[in-house]
C-alpha cells in the first residue's frame, strides 16, 4: 500500500518534471542579446533575431526553436566567412533561453524544485524502503514478468526517454533549459551561481546513484560485500565527483574529478586543460601529476592486487550509475559467444582510438602541427572522438540503452579505461572468481544476472576459475548462486585455475 | 562409424555425449521427448518465479550441438529392441495414424539409457485429478504455470527438497501454502534433529503452514475433475486448488516395462525382467562399469540402481552431480577405456528459502555408533554447523571427522574433501576451520565462536590456527 503510494507520488513528480519543460513565457530583449553576444556579432544577432525581440512567447518550444533557427542562420554565415570565433554555441543559446524566461517557474524555483526532485525522491524512497521488511536474501521474483525489465513497452519507454534526454543534454541543451532552472537553488547554495547543464546533469546523476544505491543496499543487504561496495560508489559519486569539484572552483582552483582518469577522461590531455593546470600553480601541477600517476601506476598496482573491480564497481561514476540506477536491467546483457566477440573488437577498438587521438592531441600541443605523421588530422580525430565516443557511445548508448542491452553497455563495449584495466586483470592479477569443487548445478543464475554478459556458468560447471578481462567484480554471481559455488578471491597469480580440470572434484576416476 | 544413441538429454545423458565426443569420432544421437535442448532441471523453479527465462536454463547455446556433431532428436522412445539394437518411436502394436507419423526407428551400436526419474505417486485416491502434480519435468512446469492463476490455496505433500522449492515457488505468487509432512519434524529422516527443527523454523518464518505428523488420505475433486480439497488421515479437510506431490522420485523405467508381445512382426518371449531381458529392480540394474546385463547397453543417472554400490553410497542416488559423474564415467568405458563409477566423499547442497545448506561426508539423521557430534548454532537461528567425528574409542582413525552440515556459511568443497578423506581430527579441523570458509569478502566469521563452544563442551583449549581462504596467502 505504502509502496503503491510511493510509486504514485514518484510518477506524479516525474510527470510534473517533464511538464516543467513547457512552463514559462519567453521574451527576448535587446538587453539579453547585448549580454550574450560579443560586440562584433551583436549587430548581426539584432538583425537576424529582430522579429523575436520584445515578442511574448507562451510556448517554450516555439521560442526555443525559432531562436535556435535564427542562431543557426548566423552560424552558417560565420562558417562561410570562416569567422570561427564569432560562432555561437549551445551553452550561449541555453543562457539566452534561460534569461528570456519569465513566469511561475522562474519566480518559484524553490517550490518547483521540491515538487519535482523533492517529491520524486520522497516517492521513490517510499517505494523502496518497505522492501526491507521482507526477509533478507536474493529476491529476484518476477523480474521476467516486469515490462520495464524485459524490453517490453515500459523498458522501451524508459530507454527512449533516456536517449532523448542525452541527445538534448549533449546537443540541444536549450530545450531543457527549464530543468537547469529547477536546480538553480541547489547550485546557488553550493557555488553561488546559476546551474549549468552539467551541474543539472551532475545533480540528477548523483541523486540517481544515491536513491537507487539505497535500493541496491536493501536488495542485497544479506551481503556485506554488496553493502560496502555500494556505499563506496555512493561516496565517490557524491563527494569526489559532485561536491569536491564545486568546492575547488569556489576556491578559484581548477576543478577536477579526482577519481576520473585518462583514457575514460579522454580530454585530460587536451591543450586547454593542460594550459589551465599549468597556469594554476602548484595545485595545477599536482592535478596533472595525480592524473598521470593514477593511470600509469595506480591502475596496474591496484588491478594486480584486487582486479579491476577496485575501480569499475567501487569507484567509477559510470560504473556507479550502472550498479545503482542500472541494477534492474543487469539481466538484459547478452551472454552469447557472438556478443563476446563483438565486445572484444569494439572495446579494444575504442582503446586504440583513444590512444591514437591522445597521441595526436599531444603531438599538436608540443609541435604546433595539426597533422600527425603528416596525414592524420589531429583536430578532427579529437572532435570525432568527442562526438562518437564521448557523447554518443558513453552517454546516449551507454545509459540510454540500459533497458535494452543491460546496464553495462558502455563499460562492456566501449570504455577504453575498462579495456586497459581488463588487460591487466586478465594477464597479471591476483583476482579471480573461484568455483567450489563439484557443487555447481548449472542452474544459470550466475550467467543470467551477470551485467557484463559473462557466461559464468560455463566456467563454474567445469571447475575453471573465472578470469575474464571484462569482469568488474560486482559479486552478484556469487550472491545469486543457490549452492555457494562462486567466490571473488585474491591470491597468488599462479594459483588461478585457467584450464578446467579433466575430472571435477568428487569423482575418483583416474585423471 | 559406430553409432552411440543416448535416450535422455538430462545432465547424465548430455555429459556422456559431450565426453564421448571429446574422446571419439563416433556418431552420437541424443533422443528426448521432453525438450529440444539440454536444460538445467534444477533451474525450473527460477523460471517459474521470474528470476530467469527458460532460455537461461540451457547451459550450452543452441549451435553447440551441431558444432560438436551431437545429433538431437525430439521424440519419445516407445519400444526398445535389444536384440536387433533398434529403438522405435511407437508401440509394437500401435496402428494409430498419429503415432505412426512419429514412427520410424533408430539403430544403435551402443545404447545409453539416461531416462531420469519420475515423481512418486502412492496410489492415493484422486491423485490423477487436474491440479495434482509433481515438479520434475519441463511439462510439469508448463502445467503448473497454466494452473497458477486459479490457485489461491495449495497443499504440498511430502517434506523433501523439491517440496520446499515448490513451497517457495507458490509463495512467490502469494499463494497460501500448507505443507503436509508425515514425520514429526521437517526432513528428519535425513537431517539430525537440530537441523530439522532449524529448517522447520525457517520455513515457518516464510509463512508456510507446516503440518507435521499429517498424512494425505485422499484428494477430493469437483465436478470438473479439478482438485478442490484434500483430506488427511486424521480427517481434516483442507481446501485447495493445487496439490503438489513431492514424496520423492523413482527411476523412470516405465518404458522398459511395457509388455512385449508380437513385436514388429516377430514373436518375442515375454521376459520376466523387462523388455528384451534387461534386468530391472527399482531402477535399471548396473555393475560398477554402468553396464546393464545386456551387451552394449549402459545406464546412467537417476534411472540407475547400482548392484554393488560403494561403501557410503546408496544404490539409487538421484543427485545432479552423481548423474554427471556417471556420464563422464560411461563415456570412458564406451570409448575403450573401461572405467568404474567411483564417486568420492559424499557432498550435496540445497537452498531452503534464504538459507543455503551444504554437506560433505556423512551426517546421517541418527548418530552411528562410535561417532560423536558437535553442533553449533548462531543466536540468530539462521546459521548452524554440525561436525561428526569418530569417538576416541573408534578402532580406525579415532577423532577423525566424518562429515559436516553447514547452514548459512559457505564452505570449501576441496578443503572438506581433503579433511574427511585424510581423516583429520576434530581438533585440527576446528582450529583450521577458517580455511574452509567460502563466504564472500567482509562476511562475518564465526569460527572463533564455534571453537569456543567446542572448548567449553569438551574442556579443551584449542585456538584458531589459520585464516580465511585464499586471501590469507597474500599478507
Amino acid at each position: 500500500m505504502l509502496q503503491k503510494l510511493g510509486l504514485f507520488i514518484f510518477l506524479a513528480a516525474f510527470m510534473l518534471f517533464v511538464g516543467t519543460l513547457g512552463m514559462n513565457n519567453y521574451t527576448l530583449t535587446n538587453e539579453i542579446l547585448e549580454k550574450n553576444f560579443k560586440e562584433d556579432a551583436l549587430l548581426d544577432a539584432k538583425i537576424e533575431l529582430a522579429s523575436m525581440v520584445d515578442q511574448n512567447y507562451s510556448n517554450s518550444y516555439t521560442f526555443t526553436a525559432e531562436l535556435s533557427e535564427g542562431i543557426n542562420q548566423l552560424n552558417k554565415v560565420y562558417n562561410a566567412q570562416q569567422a570561427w570565433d564569432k560562432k555561437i554555441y549551445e551553452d550561449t543559446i541555453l543562457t539566452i533561453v534561460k534569461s528570456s524566461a519569465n513566469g511561475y517557474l522562474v519566480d518559484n524555483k524553490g517550490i518547483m524544485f521540491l515538487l519535482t526532485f523533492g517529491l520524486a525522491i520522497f516517492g521513490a524512497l517510499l517505494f523502496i524502503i518497505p522492501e526491507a521488511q521482507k526477509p533478507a536474501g536474493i529476491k529476484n521474483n518476477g523480474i521476467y514478468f516486469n515490462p520495464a525489465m524485459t524490453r517490453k513497452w515500459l523498458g522501451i519507454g524508459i530507454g527512449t526517454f533516456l536517449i532523448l534526454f542525452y541527445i538534448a543534454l549533449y546537443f540541444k541543451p536549450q530545450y531543457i533549459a527549464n530543468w537547469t532552472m529547477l536546480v538553480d537553488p541547489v547550485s546557488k547554495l553550493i557555488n553561488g551561481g546559476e546551474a549549468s547543464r552539467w551541474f543539472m546533469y551532475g545533480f540528477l546523476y548523483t541523486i540517481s546513484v544515491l536513491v537507487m544505491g539505497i535500493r541496491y543496499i536493501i536488495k542485497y543487504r544479506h551481503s556485506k560485500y554488496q553493502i560496502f561496495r555500494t556505499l563506496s560508489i555512493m561516496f565517490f559519486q557524491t563527494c569526489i565527483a559532485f561536491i569536491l569539484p564545486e568546492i575547488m572552483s569556489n576556491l578559484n582552483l581548477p576543478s577536477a574529478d579526482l577519481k576520473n582518469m585518462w583514457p575514460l577522461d579522454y580530454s585530460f590531455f587536451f591543450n586547454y586543460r593542460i594550459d589551465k593546470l599549468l597556469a594554476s600553480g602548484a595545485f595545477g601541477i599536482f592535478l596533472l601529476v595525480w592524473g598521470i600517476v593514477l593511470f600509469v601506476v595506480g591502475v596496474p598496482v591496484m588491478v594486480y592486487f584486487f582486479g579491476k573491480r577496485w575501480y569499475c564497481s567501487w569507484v567509477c561514476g559510470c560504473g556507479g550509475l550502472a550498479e545503482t540506477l542500472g541494477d534492474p536491467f543487469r539481466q538484459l546483457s547478452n551472454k552469447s559467444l557472438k556478443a563476446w566477440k563483438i565486445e572484444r573488437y569494439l572495446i579494444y577498438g575504442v582503446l586504440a582510438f583513444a590512444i591514437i587521438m591522445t597521441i595526436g592531441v599531444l603531438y599538436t600541443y608540443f609541435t604546433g602541427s595539426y597533422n600527425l605523421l603528416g596525414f592524420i588530422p589531429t583536430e578532427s580525430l579529437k572532435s570525432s572522438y568527442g562526438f562518437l565516443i564521448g557523447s554518443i557511445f558513453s552517454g546516449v548508448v551507454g545509459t540510454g540503452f540500459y533497458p535494452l542491452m543491460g546496464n553495462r553497455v558502455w563499460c562492456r563495449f566501449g570504455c577504453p579505461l575498462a579495456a586497459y584495466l581488463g588487460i591487466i586483470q586478465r594477464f597479471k592479477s591476483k583476482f579471480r572468481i573461484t568455483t567450489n569443487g563439484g557443487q555447481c548445478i548449472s542452474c544459470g543464475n550466475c550467467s543470467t544476472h551477470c551485467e557484463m554478459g559473462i557466461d559464468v556458468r560455463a566456467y563454474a560447471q567445469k571447475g575453471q576459475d573465472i578470469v575474464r578481462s571484462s569482469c568488474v567484480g560486482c559479486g552478484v554471481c556469487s550472491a545469486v548462486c543457490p549452492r555457494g559455488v562462486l567466490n571473488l578471491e585474491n591470491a597468488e597469480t599462479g594459483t588461478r585455475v585457467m584450464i578446467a580440470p579433466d575430472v571435477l572434484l568428487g569423482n575418483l576416476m583416474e585423471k | 562409424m559406430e553409432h552411440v544413441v543416448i535416450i535422455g538429454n538430462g545432465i547424465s545423458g548430455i555429459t556422456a555425449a559431450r565426453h564421448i565426443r571429446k574422446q571419439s569420432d563416433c556418431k552420437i544421437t541424443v533422443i528426448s521427448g521432453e525438450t529440444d535442448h539440454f536444460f538445467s532441471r534444477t533451474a525450473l523453479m527460477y523460471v517459474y518465479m521470474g528470476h530467469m527465462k527458460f532460455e537461461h536454463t540451457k547451459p550450452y547455446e543452441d549451435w553447440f550441438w551441431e558444432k560438436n556433431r551431437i545429433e538431437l532428436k525430439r521424440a519419445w522412445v516407445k519400444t526398445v529392441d535389444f536384440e536387433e539394437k533398434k529403438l522405435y518411436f511407437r508401440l509394437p502394436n500401435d496402428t494409430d495414424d498419429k503415432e505412426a507419423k512419429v514412427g520410424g526407428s533408430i539403430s544403435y551400436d551402443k545404447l545409453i539409457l539416461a531416462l531420469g526419474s519420475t515423481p512418486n505417486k502412492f496410489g492415493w485416491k484422486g491423485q490423477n485429478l487436474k491440479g495434482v502434480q509433481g515438479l520434475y519435468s519441463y511439462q510439469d512446469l508448463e502445467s503448473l504455470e497454466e494452473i497458477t492463476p486459479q490457485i489461491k490455496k495449495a497443499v504440498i505433500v511430502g517434506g523433501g527438497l523439491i517440496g520446499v522449492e515448490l513451497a517457495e515457488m507458490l509463495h512467490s505468487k502469494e499463494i497460501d501454502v500448507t505443507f503436509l509432512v508425515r514425520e514429526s519434524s521437517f526432513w528428519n529422516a535425513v537431517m539430525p534433529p537440530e537441523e530439522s527443527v532449524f529448517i522447520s523454523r525457517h520455513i515457518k518464518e516464510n509463512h508456510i503452514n507446516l503440518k507435521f505428523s499429517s498424512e494425505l488420505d485422499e484428494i477430493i475433486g469437483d465436478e470438473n475433475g479439478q482438485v478442490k480439497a484434500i483430506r488427511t488421515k486424521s480427517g481434516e479437510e483442507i481446501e485447495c486448488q493445487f496439490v503438489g506431490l513431492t514424496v520423492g522420485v523413482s527411476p523412470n523405467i516405465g518404458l522398459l516395462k511395457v509388455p512385449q508381445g508380437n513385436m514388429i512382426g516377430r514373436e518375442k518371449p515375454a521376459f520376466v525382467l523387462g523388455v528384451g531381458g534387461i534386468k530391472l529392480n527399482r531402477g535399471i540394474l548396473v555393475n560398477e562399469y554402468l553396464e546393464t546385463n545386456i551387451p552394449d547397453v549402459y545406464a546412467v543417472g537417476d534411472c540407475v540402481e547400482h548392484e554393488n554400490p560403494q561403501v557410503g553410497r546408496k544404490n539409487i542416488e538421484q543427485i545432479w552431480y552423481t548423474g554427471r559423474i556417471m556420464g563422464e564415467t560411461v563415456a570412458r568405458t564406451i570409448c575403450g577405456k573401461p572405467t568404474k563409477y567411483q564417486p568420492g566423499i559424499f557432498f550435496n547442497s540445497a537452498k531452503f528459502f534464504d538459507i543455503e545448506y551444504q554437506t560433505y561426508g556423512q551426517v546421517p539423521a541418527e548418530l552411528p555408533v562410535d561417532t560423536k557430534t558437535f553442533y553449533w548454532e548462531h543466536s540468530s537461528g539462521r546459521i548452524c554447523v554440525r561436525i561428526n567425528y569418530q569417538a576416541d574409542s573408534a578402532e580406525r582413525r579415532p577423532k577423525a571427522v566424518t562429515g559436516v552440515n553447514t547452514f548459512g556459511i559457505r564452505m570449501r568443497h576441496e578443503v572438506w574433501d581433503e579433511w574427511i578423506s585424510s581423516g583429520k581430527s576434530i581438533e585440527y579441523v576446528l582450529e583450521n576451520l577458517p580455511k574452509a570458509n567460502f563466504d564472500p569478502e567482509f562476511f562475518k566469521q564465526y569460527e572463533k565462536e564455534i571453537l569456543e563452544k567446542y572448548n567449553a563442551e569438551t574442556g579443551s583449549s584449542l585456538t584458531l590456527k589459520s585464516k580465511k581462504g585464499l586471501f590469507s596467502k597474500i599478507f
Side-chain angles (χ1 to χ4, degrees):
Chain A
M1 190 57 217
L2 215 54
Q3 286 188 295
K4 276 187 184 154
L5 181 68
L7 189 60
F8 178 77
I9 294 174
F10 172 80
L11 287 175
F14 176 74
M15 307 252 272
L16 181 63
F17 177 69
V18 175
T20 56
L21 289 181
M23 285 176 82
N24 286 339
N25 292 322
Y26 297 84
T27 314
L28 184 66
T29 61
N30 277 324
E31 213 183 341
I32 294 173
L33 291 178
E34 278 152 24
K35 250 191 209 160
N36 288 287
F37 284 87
K38 291 177 202 150
E39 256 173 62
D40 52 355
L42 184 59
L43 190 63
D44 298 337
K46 279 188 175 168
I47 296 167
E48 179 67 42
L49 301 170
S51 62
M52 288 186 76
V53 172
D54 292 334
Q55 297 293 317
N56 186 35
Y57 287 76
S58 58
N59 185 325
S60 68
Y61 180 80
T62 323
F63 176 79
T64 313
E66 217 169 291
L67 177 72
S68 307
E69 180 50 33
I71 288 176
N72 205 11
Q73 291 300 330
L74 282 176
N75 280 340
K76 268 188 195 162
V77 175
Y78 296 147
N79 276 340
Q81 295 172 346
Q82 301 200 336
W84 312 125
D85 56 324
K86 285 189 186 173
K87 277 187 76 175
I88 299 121
Y89 293 99
E90 307 86 64
D91 281 315
T92 311
I93 311 179
L94 174 64
T95 314
I96 297 172
V97 173
K98 257 182 118 168
S99 323
S100 308
N102 51 73
Y104 186 81
L105 177 56
V106 178
D107 302 333
N108 299 282
K109 287 177 183 171
I111 293 173
M112 290 307 291
F113 172 77
L114 288 179
L115 286 177
T116 52
F117 280 93
L119 274 187
I121 293 168
F122 175 73
L125 290 178
L126 206 57
F127 180 70
I128 288 164
I129 290 172
E131 284 293 314
Q133 293 166 335
K134 295 180 188 165
I138 291 300
K139 298 282 180 296
N140 282 329
N141 296 345
I143 282 183
Y144 275 96
F145 312 132
N146 188 320
M149 304 180 195
T150 43
R151 292 187 204 104
K152 301 270 167 56
W153 63 272
L154 192 50
I156 292 170
I158 296 170
T160 310
F161 173 79
L162 289 171
I163 290 167
L164 290 174
F165 170 77
Y166 274 93
I167 291 174
L169 177 73
Y170 283 119
F171 308 113
K172 302 279 177 197
Q174 62 268 36
Y175 289 97
I176 51 172
N178 288 357
W179 285 351
T180 65
M181 226 175 273
L182 284 174
V183 293
D184 275 345
V186 186
S187 180
K188 287 228 169 80
L189 204 70
I190 295 179
N191 61 31
E194 289 205 339
S196 68
R197 58 172 153 160
W198 302 120
F199 181 89
M200 185 271 294
Y201 180 50
F203 181 74
L204 192 59
Y205 201 106
T206 307
I207 292 300
S208 306
V209 168
L210 289 178
V211 172
M212 291 299 277
I214 292 171
R215 171 192 168 276
Y216 191 94
I217 288 176
I218 290 175
K219 178 170 182 187
Y220 295 96
R221 67 190 179 284
H222 61 292
S223 166
K224 282 231 173 78
Y225 180 77
Q226 299 298 343
I227 294 174
F228 289 167
R229 192 172 67 70
T230 308
L231 288 175
S232 167
I233 288 173
M234 290 160 76
F235 165 78
F236 277 101
Q237 176 55 37
T238 314
C239 300
I240 307 299
F242 185 63
I243 295 178
L244 192 58
E246 297 290 338
I247 294 176
M248 286 154 102
S249 59
N250 278 357
L251 296 173
N252 279 325
L253 294 168
S255 75
D257 176 355
L258 288 175
K259 63 165 178 51
N260 202 357
M261 66 172 115
W262 185 87
L264 174 60
D265 181 12
Y266 62 91
S267 63
F268 185 76
F269 292 107
F270 284 9
N271 53 356
Y272 63 89
R273 285 187 62 180
I274 298 182
D275 287 342
K276 193 174 177 191
L277 291 182
L278 290 179
S280 307
F283 189 69
I285 305 286
F286 162 74
L287 287 182
L288 192 61
V289 173
W290 168 259
I292 294 170
V293 167
L294 211 50
F295 79 85
V296 174
V297 182
V299 164
V301 170
M302 292 291 281
V303 176
Y304 173 72
F305 282 107
F306 304 109
K308 79 197 251 189
R309 56 184 174 149
W310 81 269
Y311 194 76
C312 297
S313 65
W314 282 75
V315 172
C316 180
C318 307
L321 191 70
E323 292 292 344
T324 51
L325 182 69
D327 178 66
F329 310 110
R330 58 169 53 247
Q331 66 283 354
L332 298 174
S333 61
N334 190 317
K335 314 303 186 303
S336 68
L337 196 60
K338 204 172 154 192
W340 185 14
K341 281 183 183 160
I342 295 170
E343 166 193 320
R344 283 177 292 181
Y345 280 112
L346 270 178
I347 194 165
Y348 298 118
V350 173
L351 176 62
F353 190 4
I355 292 172
I356 294 167
M357 184 273 291
T358 304
I359 290 174
V361 165
L362 286 172
Y363 175 79
T364 304
Y365 184 79
F366 287 114
T367 66
S369 155
Y370 285 89
N371 280 312
L372 180 63
L373 303 175
F375 71 96
I376 305 173
T378 58
E379 274 304 300
S380 53
L381 259 187
K382 187 174 137 184
S383 58
S384 53
Y385 188 94
F387 174 75
L388 289 174
I389 311 297
S391 305
I392 300 285
F393 204 159
S394 77
V396 180
V397 175
T399 308
F401 278 53
Y402 273 10
L404 307 173
M405 290 172 68
N407 54 333
R408 287 275 191 177
V409 183
W410 163 245
C411 314
R412 179 184 181 192
F413 295 103
C415 178
L417 179 55
Y420 168 42
L421 290 153
I423 293 170
I424 298 169
Q425 168 159 287
R426 172 65 182 75
F427 293 105
K428 200 69 196 171
S429 172
K430 289 169 181 281
F431 174 73
R432 84 292 307 272
I433 301 175
T434 321
T435 60
N436 199 6
Q439 289 280 24
C440 177
I441 52 165
S442 299
C443 71
N445 270 295
C446 50
S447 295
T448 305
H449 297 282
C450 175
E451 56 189 354
M452 293 307 282
I454 299 170
D455 189 0
V456 183
R457 164 175 55 193
Y459 297 79
Q461 66 192 359
K462 58 183 178 185
Q464 184 179 335
D465 284 352
I466 294 102
V467 176
R468 278 281 287 270
S469 54
S470 62
C471 175
V472 293
C474 70
V476 167
C477 56
S478 164
V480 297
C481 176
R483 304 292 179 119
V485 175
L486 300 157
N487 201 8
L488 281 60
E489 295 189 273
N490 306 305
E492 289 313 314
T493 49
T495 61
R496 304 200 289 188
V497 181
M498 304 294 282
I499 297 166
D502 283 339
V503 178
L504 263 183
L505 187 61
N507 184 355
L508 295 180
M509 77 182 186
E510 238 178 85
K511 297 278 182 279
Chain B
M1 201 169 29
E2 198 178 49
H3 188 193
V4 178
V5 174
I6 300 166
I7 308 181
N9 69 350
I11 177 65
S12 39
I14 286 297
T15 306
R18 283 179 41 245
H19 284 258
I20 292 168
R21 175 51 73 235
K22 281 187 188 181
Q23 298 160 48
S24 133
D25 216 29
C26 64
K27 183 179 174 189
I28 303 171
T29 305
V30 179
I31 305 169
S32 165
E34 187 183 12
T35 51
D36 289 334
H37 299 103
F38 169 47
F39 71 97
S40 178
R41 198 172 292 297
T42 51
L44 288 179
M45 66 178 291
Y46 302 110
V47 176
Y48 180 80
M49 297 197 293
H51 294 206
M52 48 172 80
K53 289 199 288 183
F54 177 70
E55 285 303 301
H56 300 123
T57 67
K58 296 194 231 173
Y60 303 94
E61 289 186 62
D62 292 350
W63 49 258
F64 177 88
W65 311 106
E66 201 185 324
K67 187 186 167 226
N68 288 287
R69 289 173 292 123
I70 294 171
E71 281 181 37
L72 304 177
K73 183 170 175 64
R74 177 85 186 264
W76 295 106
V77 172
K78 295 279 175 63
T79 312
V80 186
D81 184 340
F82 291 113
E83 244 171 54
E84 292 288 320
K85 293 189 160 185
K86 253 184 170 181
L87 308 174
Y88 294 89
F89 301 110
R90 61 189 173 97
L91 294 171
N93 293 323
D94 207 327
T95 51
D96 185 331
D97 279 352
K98 230 170 131 193
E99 285 286 326
K101 269 188 196 147
V102 292
S105 62
I106 281 187
S107 297
Y108 65 83
D109 296 306
K110 285 187 172 144
L111 178 67
I112 302 176
L113 299 166
L115 307 176
S117 48
T118 178
N120 287 334
K121 287 182 173 182
F122 292 134
W124 291 292
K125 200 177 162 199
Q127 68 180 17
N128 294 321
L129 286 166
K130 270 188 264 173
V132 182
Q133 66 167 89
L135 183 74
Y136 180 83
S137 65
Y138 179 69
Q139 284 71 26
D140 290 338
L141 173 72
E142 281 185 317
S143 63
L144 177 57
E145 281 179 340
E146 196 189 314
I147 193 178
T148 295
Q150 294 145 48
I151 311 177
K152 287 193 183 66
K153 291 182 172 184
V155 171
I156 294 171
V157 183
L161 289 180
I162 301 181
V164 180
E165 289 179 359
L166 192 54
E168 186 179 349
M169 290 161 67
L170 295 165
H171 181 64
S172 78
K173 307 260 166 142
E174 288 166 4
I175 293 167
D176 264 353
V177 182
T178 303
F179 207 152
L180 293 192
V181 178
R182 189 179 59 180
E183 291 77 25
S184 59
S185 177
F186 188 81
W187 219 24
N188 67 3
V190 175
M191 289 284 168
E194 288 88 349
E195 284 95 313
S196 174
V197 170
F198 174 96
I199 306 169
S200 307
R201 190 171 56 226
H202 186 58
I203 294 172
K204 283 181 187 161
E205 252 171 35
N206 280 280
H207 310 290
I208 304 298
N209 182 15
L210 256 180
K211 279 185 186 290
F212 293 120
S213 311
S214 44
E215 266 188 86
L216 179 65
D217 187 31
E218 79 163 289
I219 304 169
I220 306 159
D222 63 12
E223 58 280 9
N224 303 316
Q226 155 77 39
V227 58
K228 66 170 188 189
I230 60 115
R231 188 179 298 117
T232 66
K233 287 224 165 120
S234 59
E236 188 186 357
E237 228 179 78
I238 303 171
E239 180 209 327
C240 60
Q241 296 78 40
F242 177 81
V243 177
L245 298 177
T246 60
V247 284
V249 292
S250 297
N252 177 29
I253 51 174
L255 155 71
L256 302 174
K257 285 180 173 168
V258 175
Q260 299 295 291
N262 180 1
M263 191 161 135
I264 326 297
R266 277 183 306 112
E267 282 295 321
K268 274 235 164 194
F271 287 100
V272 186
L273 298 167
V275 175
I278 190 164
K279 266 164 85 180
L280 306 171
N281 186 34
R282 281 166 58 212
I284 303 168
L285 288 164
V286 296
N287 63 14
E288 297 89 329
Y289 293 94
L290 303 168
E291 294 163 328
T292 67
N293 62 315
I294 296 175
D296 294 329
V297 178
Y298 306 80
V300 291
D302 279 11
C303 64
V304 157
E305 179 173 343
H306 299 281
E307 278 183 300
N308 309 299
Q310 279 189 309
V311 178
R313 291 277 172 179
K314 291 190 211 137
N315 55 356
I316 299 180
E317 205 168 56
Q318 290 140 327
I319 306 177
W320 180 266
Y321 75 85
T322 54
R324 193 193 72 226
I325 294 176
M326 284 187 234
E328 289 167 5
T329 310
V330 81
R332 286 203 181 173
T333 302
I334 283 182
C335 296
K337 191 179 167 194
T339 303
K340 283 185 184 175
Y341 171 59
Q342 282 177 285
I345 303 285
F346 184 85
F347 67 96
N348 204 1
S349 57
K351 193 172 179 186
F352 302 92
F353 287 89
D354 296 317
I355 297 182
E356 287 173 27
Y357 153 69
Q358 294 181 332
T359 184
Y360 301 101
Q362 301 295 335
V363 188
E366 226 171 286
L367 197 63
V369 200
D370 262 4
T371 303
K372 289 171 96 172
T373 192
F374 167 69
Y375 179 81
W376 167 87
E377 189 175 308
H378 186 252
S379 56
S380 66
R382 287 168 67 96
I383 309 168
C384 71
V385 174
R386 173 187 301 279
I387 304 175
N388 280 1
Y389 56 101
Q390 307 261 44
D392 296 341
S393 55
E395 252 176 59
R396 218 178 132 262
R397 291 179 164 179
K399 287 194 164 180
V401 291
T402 52
V404 62
N405 276 346
T406 169
F407 290 79
I409 301 177
R410 292 175 173 179
M411 298 221 192
R412 238 174 250 277
H413 185 179
E414 200 184 351
V415 172
W416 271 106
D417 190 81
E418 205 271 324
W419 283 348
I420 294 169
S421 55
S422 67
K424 287 281 187 290
S425 73
I426 177 75
E427 284 99 350
Y428 177 89
V429 164
L430 286 174
E431 289 190 326
N432 292 284
L433 201 54
K435 264 193 183 165
N437 190 315
F438 199 67
D439 269 342
E441 292 148 301
F442 309 120
F443 272 47
K444 192 167 189 283
Q445 286 181 251
Y446 300 96
E447 289 86 1
K448 193 155 177 266
E449 205 182 312
I450 294 170
L451 190 67
E452 275 163 8
K453 181 164 193 241
Y454 180 83
N455 280 343
E457 278 177 9
T458 59
S460 9
S461 47
L462 307 176
T463 49
L464 284 183
K465 295 221 165 97
S466 64
K467 282 192 174 160
K468 179 179 167 185
L470 295 172
F471 196 77
S472 59
K473 290 179 193 166
I474 298 183
F475 299 107

